[in-house]
Amino acid sequence: MLSFVNDYCEGMHPEILEKLAKINLEKQVSYGDDKYSKSAEKKIRQAAKCEDADVWFLAGGTQTNMVAIDAFLEEYEGVVAAKTAHVALHESGAIEYTGHKVLELPSYGGKIKAKDLEAYVKAYYADGNWDHMVTPGMVYITQPTELGTLYSAKELKEIHKVCQKFKMPLYIDGARLAEALAADPKTGLPEIAANCEAFYIGGNKCGAFYGEALVFTKNNTPKRFLSRIKQHGALLAKGWTVGVSFDVMFTDNLYVRGGENANKCASKLRAALKKKGYKQYIENKTNQVFVVMEDNAMKALSKKVKFSFWEKLDAKHTVIRFVTSWATRMEEVDQLIELL
Amino acid sequence: MLSFVNDYCEGMHPEILEKLAKINLEKQVSYGDDKYSKSAEKKIRQAAKCEDADVWFLAGGTQTNMVAIDAFLEEYEGVVAAKTAHVALHESGAIEYTGHKVLELPSYGGKIKAKDLEAYVKAYYADGNWDHMVTPGMVYITQPTELGTLYSAKELKEIHKVCQKFKMPLYIDGARLAEALAADPKTGLPEIAANCEAFYIGGNKCGAFYGEALVFTKNNTPKRFLSRIKQHGALLAKGWTVGVSFDVMFTDNLYVRGGENANKCASKLRAALKKKGYKQYIENKTNQVFVVMEDNAMKALSKKVKFSFWEKLDAKHTVIRFVTSWATRMEEVDQLIELL
Amino acid sequence: MLSFVNDYCEGMHPEILEKLAKINLEKQVSYGDDKYSKSAEKKIRQAAKCEDADVWFLAGGTQTNMVAIDAFLEEYEGVVAAKTAHVALHESGAIEYTGHKVLELPSYGGKIKAKDLEAYVKAYYADGNWDHMVTPGMVYITQPTELGTLYSAKELKEIHKVCQKFKMPLYIDGARLAEALAADPKTGLPEIAANCEAFYIGGNKCGAFYGEALVFTKNNTPKRFLSRIKQHGALLAKGWTVGVSFDVMFTDNLYVRGGENANKCASKLRAALKKKGYKQYIENKTNQVFVVMEDNAMKALSKKVKFSFWEKLDAKHTVIRFVTSWATRMEEVDQLIELL
Amino acid sequence: MLSFVNDYCEGMHPEILEKLAKINLEKQVSYGDDKYSKSAEKKIRQAAKCEDADVWFLAGGTQTNMVAIDAFLEEYEGVVAAKTAHVALHESGAIEYTGHKVLELPSYGGKIKAKDLEAYVKAYYADGNWDHMVTPGMVYITQPTELGTLYSAKELKEIHKVCQKFKMPLYIDGARLAEALAADPKTGLPEIAANCEAFYIGGNKCGAFYGEALVFTKNNTPKRFLSRIKQHGALLAKGWTVGVSFDVMFTDNLYVRGGENANKCASKLRAALKKKGYKQYIENKTNQVFVVMEDNAMKALSKKVKFSFWEKLDAKHTVIRFVTSWATRMEEVDQLIELL
């Protein structure tokens, strides 16, 4: 059966598998101090044109968000995010579990606006009861957002400027960063690294066997970060098992090429949907396609292809989502288009 | 200088002081097992016509909310509340500090609606990603609300019905409960006790020397509650120092009479403001009066009377708040009216 | 019935009651910014000869420990304490609730030794796995200890020196500080303030109506401390209700005089027990008397006087504790002696 | 250079790599609902003769301990463990981070004794202050222990009996379970599953690419466990990346055969050390060899082989550790022996 459920349902780039086969019987160094992790770190630093980049390999996205956010915030601070943000909605309260509130801003197709952010923070400090309220301590955004939309380099810079004004670190969740980089080369790794205090490069959804790469960009790794990771249960004894994926993916631009494939497949699907008269819930240039389906048609389709539920729109319609990936073959897209 | 800043700026009902003087050299039993606390508990049970009521005396409101909410919730659950709720806005993130998210509903003058609540919970369970989201585990409301408005007995019953349907305890923050009871005798302690799983009777703002009385209404005190209180740093060795206030306040209806005085003073002020053409931000029947003031007038007034900032309305106007109390004398209200 | 159960079973110094009566109808300022709290702070500063002292009034001891320790520690640090310490044994896990481990040192009659502390910290930093272990981040001691023993000024200084060497704040729990000050004037408030980063002056057990005074000694109040207190549910809207007690107790040395009375009563009891051939579990110069009782004798005694259980010594003997206080009258001691 | 540093410095069983190569381009189901994880679960159930076994795949050991322990405990409870336990010493305070205290028992070569456990719990409930103390809520042991020693089936049963008597779940950390199963077939998976409420089968140290398998044995999976895992940041979107390793390792007894190899290599090394007159810090039958080395000899050796520091014994001696694994070749052991 065809599947467009999610990009983390794929294996790994074949080049990674090849590398794993080659080095399987070597003895590695633990906790990310191995040569493959170090090589990956170096390549990431170069790709981001960021000499100060300090890179850590973790297993999952929620985990990475929770460890980084908890490390950046003072105990009495919260993290500002769009109300549609992954940290606000879909992490089972992991941020609150660390003791911090998610302070919600309006979402414009998944994005926040610099002026909303500035107004929010100003209002906080102007409030007579400010010290009985949670202090906005940092800002979280996703690139691409949960709805597949993208911040331009200009928008990033504007948001970052507000963050700097109020001394709030900006943190970017790049769970699907490969697709963002592929879709808008002008907002590349260097622009991202320059305009935030930390970000993570998604591996789970972008072709790694598993794992994510957390990058601190400004010589600003939180003190005793290894112990903090361990305390959150997130330290990988076999850290190199993630490092290898990134070492391979940051060779010959494999990471971005994976994103290009995903985007190309999604574009074709999007065009076909338009031609067939489907309403799209939101349009973007990356690898998530959101379609409004009449409920009976949706049920019929679900017998032939896997997709994911997004939200109930009204009594008779549902928004569903198709996700393409580095591994999607154009013939799968064609098969899907025929079914629609 | 006149002061209408807050009702917790007062001392204690003179009858409490009298009692304290009388018993000061007695040796008491610790941790709330003393005879005054026991007597207060019995009187509260009678006033609430709730034989199952189990009463605990704590020092403050945020503390009471945090201990009770944390005890009611499973680790993966959050508390549903109006976006204007004290727990959502003005407790410095105390609920999140215990690891739980505050799930916000729209506020109608400080109140939530039963149908919004039902829609929210239904949407949660219908969501394909429900188990990656924080589960609504209980509901928090205030009576009167932060804006001084009141739930009628009928509204309480409707909200409680939704809570029961989805097995969510309903918890009522009664920081200013005296004024609610005085303003609407049809929504008295028995109606409140019957329609929630726990509530607290405010002491700090209603004439106690200090402290609040937390009431579990349905033989449903969380297991090992004393240890839980201690673990949150909230157990009072000298528990009787709160118990005495409630013992006295629940004698001869002193508690509600205090609320009546506060409401009467506020009513007079409200009528005068209307006559003088002031715009009120919200109208209610209890002891908080919210007035829109032109900024220069506000500054002038602030030299002669203390009040509290509520919020900035626009470039030239601010909402300020006057609070009356059990101790406010009508002549103070008259003096304030003259200044307006 | 006679009672020697605990010193927090008493009311308040009559002078405090008198003051409360006098000011009951004044309107106060909230959150500890009132004139009585300010006056108390000034008097404490003078008594401690510590111009940098910053004083906060909280409701209880466990609460004070938990708020202060959580504020001093980095997330990955723990607090070093004697294995008999209140924070280690009798706070229902309140310190762990804030996320921090209590790192235990051997107890010598309730006290720790500077050389043990130094050896412990050195071993930590010498351990190959140090960054997978909880870092000793501060030190907690009690004065007098849970067993009534006292650190001399010299011992305090030695411990503090080790703390300074390893940049660990020293925090002193003074739940019964009045008795320590009375028993050893050479280790007075100035010596204590000079040799620690923070301490609390016990009120609940030493004659206050309720509450404790937390003192930061070196211009080192944790950032945004008011918000931190609130976040822990510990901020008192009516902060002045504690401040008044301290304002009165630090007038004319009332605080220490209360301790003198308690110690004098305990001394008389101790001498009588010795004469009667009772074995004391530990001897000290303060207001806790620990006696080994044969179980049947203990049961008989319990019908005539209240005391507290300390620990089961062996199959036939139990250690019990008598506590005297600022309020104990010598004739009560005489009555107790007759019963023994 | 030779390396005996740790068993998590190895790659994966070649059979796992083979399987990964075969299935790499399949589309998988997320969050552990895939066929490989399901197959692994079935095989584990059979190997443990435990039809009720419910299996979850997580990334690391500290993480598994923290999620399981936090899920088993009530908020006011702690976990009982040997003072040498991994959770007590080497997890950077991860258990305390979840709010729970580790209650320490004496360690006998890494093991606890049933009678110590019973005495501890009885003393707790007999203590007059029990409800101000952390309640022993569950018990944690390791098999093999951190020192490589083993509980016999009889010892396990005795400990479990005490646990059942006091309604405390028994949880077994099997980070190196392969070696335990290989060393003592009479204390096999069925005996382990029968005598505890949960345990984890170590993968990171026993031949998996990465990950551990957490097993609940008695239809007792904590409610909403998936959400709890997610809340702790531990849910693997690509859960099958761990499941595959276990599916392969539980085919043809590969898991235990790996342990046999490790033990055989360690035995040879142990015998050689004895012959050469080295003092062993502790002797066991599994894959960790602890040797006392004179410091200069240790330094010389460290230039030719990697091992790990265990502890400083005295001014001139250090305990070091050699770890063998499923991947160690006997010729590596021979080379090491020659160097000693």
Side-chain angles (χ1 to χ4, degrees):
Chain A
M1 188 148 117
L2 278 176
S3 172
F4 288 83
V5 172
N6 218 320
D7 28 18
Y8 48 61
C9 296
E10 312 286 356
M12 55 186 139
H13 279 295
E15 292 89 335
I16 299 170
L17 181 61
E18 222 173 281
K19 181 80 170 202
L20 285 180
K22 211 162 141 187
I23 68 173
N24 188 39
L25 295 181
E26 288 177 6
K27 289 203 193 307
Q28 307 296 343
V29 176
S30 56
Y31 301 117
D33 279 335
D34 63 283
K35 59 185 170 189
Y36 302 106
S37 299
K38 291 297 164 198
S39 166
E41 183 169 10
K42 199 175 155 189
K43 290 173 185 171
I44 289 170
R45 232 180 247 137
Q46 287 168 341
K49 292 183 184 157
C50 179
E51 288 193 15
D52 293 336
D54 184 29
V55 184
W56 300 78
F57 298 106
L58 296 168
T62 293
Q63 178 178 81
T64 305
N65 291 339
M66 145 189 222
V67 172
I69 289 171
D70 195 24
F72 267 133
L73 293 180
E74 292 287 337
E75 194 166 37
Y76 50 84
E77 294 177 335
V79 56
V80 182
K83 58 182 292 184
T84 49
H86 203 257
V87 290
L89 268 188
H90 289 123
E91 302 196 343
S92 295
I95 302 304
E96 289 80 9
Y97 183 72
T98 69
H100 299 288
K101 192 179 182 77
V102 180
L103 303 162
E104 299 183 2
L105 286 190
S107 158
Y108 304 88
K111 293 159 67 179
I112 60 167
K113 291 192 174 165
K115 67 173 186 181
D116 283 358
L117 176 62
E118 178 149 23
Y120 179 86
V121 182
K122 273 188 177 166
Y124 168 77
Y125 284 109
D127 196 299
N129 296 310
W130 71 282
D131 57 358
H132 293 231
M133 297 166 78
V134 176
T135 303
M138 69 182 289
V139 176
Y140 165 101
I141 59 175
T142 41
Q143 173 82 334
T145 68
E146 293 74 9
L147 290 162
T149 51
L150 292 169
Y151 290 94
S152 68
K154 184 167 165 287
E155 288 169 327
L156 273 187
K157 200 172 267 179
E158 284 167 1
I159 290 172
H160 194 224
K161 225 169 129 183
V162 179
C163 290
Q164 288 178 311
K165 185 169 169 185
F166 295 102
K167 297 203 167 69
M168 303 180 295
L170 177 60
Y171 170 82
I172 303 177
D173 176 332
R176 294 189 170 94
L177 195 57
E179 282 76 20
L181 300 176
D184 176 12
K186 286 184 190 159
T187 311
L189 272 188
E191 287 73 22
I192 285 171
N195 284 300
C196 73
E197 276 61 44
F199 67 103
Y200 88 78
I201 305 171
N204 282 306
K205 293 174 176 166
C206 301
F209 185 56
Y210 83 108
E212 328 280 7
L214 172 60
V215 186
F216 292 99
T217 59
K218 315 227 182 304
N219 265 330
N220 59 342
T221 306
K223 206 179 148 190
R224 294 285 306 276
F225 196 57
L226 186 136
S227 298
R228 290 177 189 267
I229 296 177
K230 178 93 178 179
Q231 186 185 28
H232 287 73
L235 188 63
L236 294 167
K238 301 180 75 170
W240 63 275
T241 58
V242 176
V244 168
S245 279
F246 281 88
D247 191 32
V248 173
M249 293 195 301
F250 276 79
T251 303
D252 296 336
N253 213 26
L254 179 60
Y255 186 71
V256 178
R257 284 190 282 128
E260 280 164 2
N261 182 74
N263 291 350
K264 214 165 57 182
C265 292
S267 285
K268 184 164 191 185
L269 176 56
R270 216 173 266 122
L273 284 163
K274 206 168 273 181
K275 204 183 277 174
K276 291 185 183 230
Y278 282 95
K279 197 185 162 198
Q280 293 185 43
Y281 178 65
I282 188 164
E283 284 199 56
N284 62 53
K285 298 180 172 178
T286 57
N287 66 327
Q288 298 182 80
V289 181
F290 299 88
V291 197
V292 178
M293 294 275 289
E294 193 277 327
D295 285 353
N296 287 329
M298 178 185 74
K299 265 173 218 161
L301 185 67
S302 74
K303 284 169 191 159
K304 293 175 186 157
V305 58
K306 289 185 189 173
F307 47 81
S308 53
F309 164 92
W310 193 253
E311 67 178 56
K312 197 87 193 77
L313 196 66
D314 59 39
K316 294 190 175 168
H317 296 83
T318 299
V319 180
I320 63 170
R321 184 185 63 163
F322 300 104
V323 187
T324 58
S325 80
W326 61 274
T328 308
R329 285 166 295 118
M330 203 53 90
E331 65 199 66
E332 295 173 287
V333 178
D334 293 337
Q335 287 168 32
L336 171 58
I337 291 172
E338 262 177 61
L339 292 174
L340 288 166
Chain B
M1 188 151 117
L2 278 177
S3 172
F4 289 83
V5 171
N6 219 319
D7 27 18
Y8 49 62
C9 295
E10 311 287 356
M12 56 188 138
H13 280 294
E15 292 89 335
I16 299 171
L17 181 62
E18 221 173 280
K19 182 81 170 199
L20 285 180
K22 212 163 140 187
I23 68 173
N24 188 41
L25 295 181
E26 288 177 8
K27 289 204 193 305
Q28 306 297 344
V29 177
S30 57
Y31 300 118
D33 279 336
D34 64 282
K35 59 186 170 189
Y36 301 107
S37 299
K38 291 299 163 195
S39 166
E41 183 171 9
K42 199 173 153 188
K43 289 174 186 170
I44 288 170
R45 230 179 249 139
Q46 286 169 342
K49 293 184 185 157
C50 178
E51 287 193 14
D52 293 336
D54 184 30
V55 184
W56 299 78
F57 298 106
L58 296 166
T62 293
Q63 177 178 83
T64 304
N65 292 338
M66 148 189 221
V67 172
I69 288 170
D70 195 25
F72 267 133
L73 293 180
E74 293 286 336
E75 196 166 36
Y76 50 85
E77 294 177 334
V79 55
V80 182
K83 59 183 293 185
T84 49
H86 203 256
V87 290
L89 268 188
H90 289 123
E91 302 195 345
S92 296
I95 302 303
E96 289 81 10
Y97 183 73
T98 69
H100 299 288
K101 191 178 183 77
V102 180
L103 303 162
E104 297 183 2
L105 286 190
S107 157
Y108 304 87
K111 294 159 66 179
I112 60 167
K113 290 193 174 166
K115 67 173 186 181
D116 283 359
L117 176 62
E118 178 150 24
Y120 179 86
V121 181
K122 275 188 177 167
Y124 169 77
Y125 284 108
D127 196 299
N129 295 309
W130 71 281
D131 57 359
H132 293 230
M133 297 165 78
V134 176
T135 303
M138 69 182 289
V139 177
Y140 165 100
I141 60 175
T142 40
Q143 174 81 333
T145 68
E146 293 74 7
L147 290 162
T149 53
L150 292 169
Y151 289 95
S152 68
K154 184 167 165 288
E155 288 169 325
L156 272 187
K157 200 172 267 178
E158 284 167 0
I159 290 172
H160 194 224
K161 226 170 129 181
V162 178
C163 290
Q164 288 177 309
K165 186 171 169 183
F166 295 101
K167 296 204 166 70
M168 303 180 295
L170 177 61
Y171 169 83
I172 302 176
D173 176 332
R176 293 188 171 95
L177 195 57
E179 282 76 20
L181 299 176
D184 176 12
K186 285 184 191 161
T187 310
L189 271 189
E191 288 73 24
I192 285 170
N195 284 300
C196 73
E197 276 60 45
F199 66 102
Y200 87 78
I201 304 171
N204 281 307
K205 292 174 177 167
C206 302
F209 184 56
Y210 83 108
E212 329 280 7
L214 171 60
V215 186
F216 292 98
T217 59
K218 315 230 181 302
N219 264 330
N220 61 341
T221 307
K223 206 179 147 191
R224 296 284 307 275
F225 195 58
L226 185 137
S227 298
R228 289 178 189 266
I229 296 176
K230 179 93 178 179
Q231 186 185 27
H232 288 73
L235 188 62
L236 294 167
K238 301 180 77 170
W240 65 273
T241 58
V242 176
V244 168
S245 279
F246 281 89
D247 190 32
V248 173
M249 292 195 301
F250 275 80
T251 303
D252 297 336
N253 213 25
L254 179 59
Y255 186 71
V256 178
R257 282 189 285 131
E260 281 164 3
N261 182 74
N263 292 349
K264 215 164 57 182
C265 292
S267 287
K268 184 162 192 185
L269 176 56
R270 215 172 266 123
L273 284 163
K274 206 168 274 183
K275 204 182 279 176
K276 291 182 182 231
Y278 282 96
K279 196 184 161 196
Q280 294 185 42
Y281 177 65
I282 188 164
E283 284 201 56
N284 61 53
K285 297 181 170 175
T286 58
N287 67 326
Q288 297 182 81
V289 181
F290 299 88
V291 196
V292 177
M293 294 277 288
E294 195 277 328
D295 286 353
N296 287 329
M298 179 185 73
K299 265 173 219 162
L301 185 66
S302 74
K303 284 168 191 161
K304 293 176 185 157
V305 58
K306 290 185 189 173
F307 47 81
S308 52
F309 165 92
W310 193 254
E311 67 178 55
K312 197 89 191 79
L313 196 66
D314 59 40
K316 295 191 174 166
H317 296 84
T318 301
V319 181
I320 64 170
R321 185 184 63 163
F322 300 104
V323 188
T324 59
S325 81
W326 62 273
T328 309
R329 283 165 298 115
M330 203 52 90
E331 64 199 69
E332 294 173 285
V333 178
D334 292 337
Q335 287 168 33
L336 171 58
I337 291 171
E338 263 177 59
L339 293 173
L340 289 164
Chain C
M1 188 150 115
L2 278 177
S3 172
F4 288 84
V5 172
N6 218 319
D7 28 19
Y8 49 61
C9 295
E10 311 287 357
M12 56 188 139
H13 280 295
E15 293 88 336
I16 299 171
L17 181 62
E18 221 172 280
K19 182 81 169 201
L20 285 180
K22 212 163 142 186
I23 68 173
N24 188 41
L25 295 180
E26 287 176 8
K27 290 205 192 306
Q28 306 296 343
V29 177
S30 57
Y31 301 117
D33 279 335
D34 63 282
K35 60 185 170 189
Y36 302 106
S37 298
K38 292 297 164 197
S39 166
E41 183 170 9
K42 199 174 155 188
K43 289 174 186 171
I44 287 170
R45 231 180 246 139
Q46 288 169 340
K49 293 183 184 157
C50 178
E51 287 192 14
D52 293 336
D54 183 30
V55 184
W56 300 78
F57 298 106
L58 297 167
T62 294
Q63 178 178 82
T64 305
N65 292 338
M66 147 188 221
V67 172
I69 289 171
D70 195 25
F72 267 133
L73 292 180
E74 292 287 336
E75 195 167 35
Y76 49 84
E77 294 177 335
V79 55
V80 182
K83 58 183 292 185
T84 49
H86 203 256
V87 290
L89 268 187
H90 288 124
E91 301 195 344
S92 296
I95 302 304
E96 288 81 9
Y97 183 72
T98 69
H100 300 288
K101 192 178 181 76
V102 179
L103 303 162
E104 298 184 1
L105 286 190
S107 158
Y108 304 87
K111 293 158 68 178
I112 60 168
K113 291 192 174 166
K115 66 173 187 181
D116 284 358
L117 176 62
E118 179 150 24
Y120 178 86
V121 181
K122 275 188 176 167
Y124 169 77
Y125 284 108
D127 195 300
N129 296 308
W130 71 282
D131 57 359
H132 293 230
M133 297 166 78
V134 176
T135 304
M138 68 181 291
V139 176
Y140 165 100
I141 60 174
T142 41
Q143 173 82 334
T145 68
E146 293 74 7
L147 290 162
T149 53
L150 293 168
Y151 290 94
S152 68
K154 184 169 165 287
E155 288 170 326
L156 272 188
K157 200 171 267 179
E158 284 166 0
I159 290 172
H160 194 224
K161 227 170 129 181
V162 178
C163 290
Q164 288 177 310
K165 185 170 169 184
F166 295 101
K167 297 204 166 70
M168 302 180 296
L170 177 61
Y171 169 82
I172 303 176
D173 175 333
R176 294 188 171 95
L177 195 57
E179 282 77 19
L181 300 176
D184 176 13
K186 286 183 191 161
T187 311
L189 271 188
E191 287 74 22
I192 286 171
N195 284 300
C196 72
E197 276 61 44
F199 66 102
Y200 88 78
I201 304 172
N204 282 306
K205 293 174 177 166
C206 301
F209 184 57
Y210 83 108
E212 329 280 6
L214 172 60
V215 186
F216 293 99
T217 59
K218 315 228 181 302
N219 264 331
N220 60 342
T221 306
K223 206 180 147 189
R224 294 286 306 276
F225 195 58
L226 186 136
S227 298
R228 290 178 189 265
I229 297 177
K230 178 93 177 179
Q231 186 185 28
H232 288 73
L235 188 63
L236 293 166
K238 301 181 77 170
W240 63 275
T241 58
V242 176
V244 168
S245 279
F246 281 89
D247 190 34
V248 173
M249 293 195 301
F250 276 79
T251 303
D252 296 336
N253 213 25
L254 179 60
Y255 186 70
V256 178
R257 283 189 283 128
E260 281 164 2
N261 182 74
N263 291 350
K264 214 165 59 183
C265 292
S267 287
K268 184 163 190 186
L269 176 56
R270 216 172 266 122
L273 284 163
K274 207 168 273 183
K275 205 183 277 176
K276 290 182 183 231
Y278 282 96
K279 197 185 161 197
Q280 293 185 43
Y281 176 65
I282 188 164
E283 282 199 56
N284 61 53
K285 296 181 172 177
T286 58
N287 66 326
Q288 298 181 79
V289 181
F290 299 88
V291 197
V292 177
M293 294 275 289
E294 193 278 326
D295 285 353
N296 287 329
M298 178 185 73
K299 265 173 219 163
L301 184 66
S302 74
K303 284 168 192 163
K304 293 175 185 157
V305 58
K306 290 185 190 176
F307 47 82
S308 54
F309 164 92
W310 194 254
E311 68 178 54
K312 196 87 193 81
L313 196 66
D314 59 39
K316 294 189 174 169
H317 296 84
T318 300
V319 180
I320 64 171
R321 184 185 64 163
F322 300 104
V323 188
T324 59
S325 81
W326 60 275
T328 308
R329 284 164 297 116
M330 203 52 90
E331 64 199 68
E332 295 173 286
V333 179
D334 293 337
Q335 286 168 33
L336 171 59
I337 291 172
E338 263 178 60
L339 292 174
L340 289 165
Chain D
M1 188 149 118
L2 277 176
S3 172
F4 289 84
V5 172
N6 218 318
D7 27 19
Y8 49 61
C9 295
E10 312 286 356
M12 56 187 139
H13 280 294
E15 293 88 334
I16 299 171
L17 182 61
E18 222 173 280
K19 181 80 169 201
L20 286 180
K22 211 162 140 187
I23 69 173
N24 188 40
L25 294 181
E26 288 178 6
K27 289 204 192 308
Q28 307 297 343
V29 176
S30 57
Y31 300 119
D33 279 335
D34 64 282
K35 59 185 170 188
Y36 302 106
S37 299
K38 291 298 163 197
S39 165
E41 182 170 10
K42 200 175 153 187
K43 289 173 185 171
I44 287 171
R45 231 179 249 139
Q46 286 168 342
K49 293 185 184 156
C50 179
E51 287 193 15
D52 293 336
D54 184 30
V55 184
W56 300 78
F57 298 106
L58 297 167
T62 293
Q63 178 179 81
T64 305
N65 292 338
M66 148 188 220
V67 173
I69 289 170
D70 195 24
F72 267 134
L73 293 179
E74 292 287 336
E75 195 166 37
Y76 50 84
E77 293 177 335
V79 55
V80 182
K83 59 183 293 186
T84 49
H86 202 255
V87 290
L89 268 188
H90 289 123
E91 303 195 343
S92 295
I95 302 304
E96 289 80 10
Y97 184 71
T98 69
H100 299 288
K101 191 179 182 77
V102 179
L103 303 162
E104 299 183 2
L105 287 190
S107 158
Y108 304 88
K111 292 158 67 178
I112 61 167
K113 291 194 172 163
K115 67 174 187 182
D116 283 359
L117 176 62
E118 178 150 22
Y120 179 87
V121 181
K122 274 188 176 166
Y124 169 77
Y125 284 109
D127 196 299
N129 295 310
W130 70 283
D131 57 358
H132 292 229
M133 298 165 77
V134 176
T135 304
M138 69 182 289
V139 176
Y140 165 100
I141 60 175
T142 41
Q143 173 81 334
T145 68
E146 293 74 10
L147 290 162
T149 52
L150 292 168
Y151 289 94
S152 68
K154 184 167 167 286
E155 288 170 326
L156 273 187
K157 200 172 267 180
E158 284 166 0
I159 290 172
H160 194 224
K161 225 169 129 182
V162 178
C163 289
Q164 289 179 309
K165 186 170 169 182
F166 294 102
K167 298 204 166 67
M168 303 180 294
L170 177 61
Y171 169 83
I172 302 176
D173 176 334
R176 294 187 171 95
L177 195 57
E179 281 76 20
L181 299 177
D184 176 12
K186 285 185 190 158
T187 310
L189 271 188
E191 288 73 24
I192 285 171
N195 284 300
C196 73
E197 276 60 45
F199 67 102
Y200 88 77
I201 304 172
N204 282 305
K205 293 174 177 169
C206 301
F209 184 57
Y210 82 108
E212 329 280 7
L214 171 60
V215 186
F216 292 99
T217 59
K218 314 225 181 306
N219 265 330
N220 60 341
T221 307
K223 206 179 147 190
R224 296 285 306 276
F225 196 57
L226 186 137
S227 298
R228 290 178 189 267
I229 295 176
K230 179 93 178 178
Q231 187 185 27
H232 287 72
L235 188 63
L236 294 166
K238 300 181 77 170
W240 64 274
T241 58
V242 177
V244 168
S245 280
F246 281 89
D247 190 32
V248 173
M249 292 196 301
F250 275 81
T251 303
D252 296 336
N253 213 25
L254 178 61
Y255 187 71
V256 178
R257 282 189 284 131
E260 280 164 3
N261 182 75
N263 291 349
K264 215 165 56 182
C265 292
S267 285
K268 186 164 191 184
L269 176 57
R270 215 172 267 123
L273 284 163
K274 206 169 274 181
K275 205 183 276 176
K276 291 182 184 233
Y278 282 95
K279 198 185 160 196
Q280 293 185 43
Y281 178 65
I282 188 165
E283 284 200 56
N284 62 52
K285 297 180 172 176
T286 58
N287 67 327
Q288 298 183 80
V289 181
F290 299 88
V291 197
V292 177
M293 294 276 289
E294 194 276 326
D295 286 352
N296 287 329
M298 179 184 73
K299 265 173 218 162
L301 185 67
S302 73
K303 284 169 192 161
K304 293 175 186 159
V305 58
K306 289 186 189 173
F307 47 81
S308 53
F309 164 91
W310 193 253
E311 66 177 59
K312 197 89 192 77
L313 197 66
D314 59 40
K316 295 189 174 169
H317 296 83
T318 300
V319 180
I320 64 169
R321 185 185 64 162
F322 300 104
V323 188
T324 58
S325 81
W326 60 275
T328 308
R329 285 166 295 117
M330 203 53 89
E331 65 199 67
E332 294 173 288
V333 178
D334 292 337
Q335 288 168 33
L336 171 58
I337 290 172
E338 263 177 60
L339 293 174
L340 288 165

